[in-house]
Amino acid sequence: MAVSQSANVLEKAMGHVEGGVTEQNMTNPDRDREKYGDPSGEKMKALVWNGKNSVEVVETHKPKIIEDRDVILKVTGSTICGSDLHLYHGAVIQLQKGDILGHEFCGRVDSVGPGIKNLKPGDRVVASFQIACGDCMYCQKKLSSQCERTNTNKVENIMYGGRTA
C-alpha cells in the first residue's frame, strides 16, 4: 500500500506521458458538469465509491461526448471482478470519494461521437475491462493492454519499461 501511495503522489507531480489521447481522470460528470455533463441535464444512476468498503448507488448527471470516438452506454447488466474488490477495499490509492465504479458491463448505445462509424444508438454491446484506441502499434498487434494512447502513466513507464493495463 505504501508503494501505491508513493506512486500516486509521484504521478500527480509528474503528470501524464505526452501523446495520450484519451481524457484522463473523468470519474464522475458531477465533478465538472460543464465539461463532462450532458447538456440536457439528464440524470442516471451510478455506483460510487465512498471510501474503504463503502459504495452507494446515487443519481448523477449523464456524461457527454467529449472526444470523437466516445460512446455513451446505458448499462443493462454488470457484475464485479477481482479488480473491483481492490477498489472496494481501498487498495487503489488514486480512487477518490464519489468516483463511479464499473468497467465490465453490457448495455445499449445511448450516443456516439462523430468518429464512431460501426455503432449507432440502440445497439447492444459488451464493454471490455480495458480501454484501448484500436489504432496504435500495440493495438494493431492485439496487445491492447499496452495501448500507447490510453495509459499515460509516467511512473509505470519508468518502473516497468512500458504501459500496462
Side-chain angles (χ1 to χ4, degrees):
M1 186 78 135
V3 172
S4 292
Q5 291 172 333
S6 298
N8 184 45
V9 169
L10 186 57
E11 178 69 15
K12 284 181 181 179
M14 292 174 65
H16 295 291
V17 175
E18 298 298 321
V21 296
T22 299
E23 178 74 23
Q24 303 287 319
N25 307 321
M26 201 291 279
T27 57
N28 187 329
D30 277 352
R31 290 225 166 91
D32 187 342
R33 281 188 226 152
E34 191 170 310
K35 185 173 182 181
Y36 300 122
D38 190 271
S40 70
E42 189 176 343
K43 299 266 188 147
M44 66 176 195
K45 295 212 181 281
L47 182 69
V48 298
W49 184 81
N50 286 322
K52 187 175 180 179
N53 300 332
S54 175
V55 295
E56 176 184 12
V57 175
V58 301
E59 195 167 273
T60 186
H61 284 86
K62 183 178 113 176
K64 71 177 178 181
I65 298 292
I66 299 169
E67 299 177 5
D68 285 353
R69 294 177 55 177
D70 281 351
V71 176
I72 306 293
L73 302 177
K74 180 175 184 176
V75 175
T76 58
S78 184
T79 190
I80 64 166
C81 73
S83 60
D84 292 320
L85 294 175
H86 297 305
L87 298 171
Y88 180 69
H89 294 303
V92 177
I93 202 67
Q94 295 90 338
L95 208 57
Q96 297 175 22
K97 184 177 181 177
D99 281 356
I100 295 174
L101 299 176
H103 64 275
E104 294 181 31
F105 47 85
C106 59
R108 293 193 184 274
V109 173
D110 183 74
S111 55
V112 298
I116 299 296
K117 306 298 180 207
N118 57 344
L119 293 172
K120 63 186 181 314
D123 285 352
R124 292 189 59 78
V125 296
V126 175
S128 169
F129 67 94
Q130 63 189 18
I131 300 170
C133 74
D135 294 326
C136 73
M137 175 191 72
Y138 292 109
C139 287
Q140 291 299 310
K141 291 181 178 184
K142 308 290 186 217
L143 300 170
S144 52
S145 69
Q146 304 295 313
C147 180
E148 291 181 304
R149 297 183 182 155
T150 57
N151 186 349
T152 60
N153 188 311
K154 283 185 182 179
V155 174
E156 286 187 10
N157 281 325
I158 293 166
M159 289 173 64
Y160 304 113
R163 302 166 191 335
T164 58

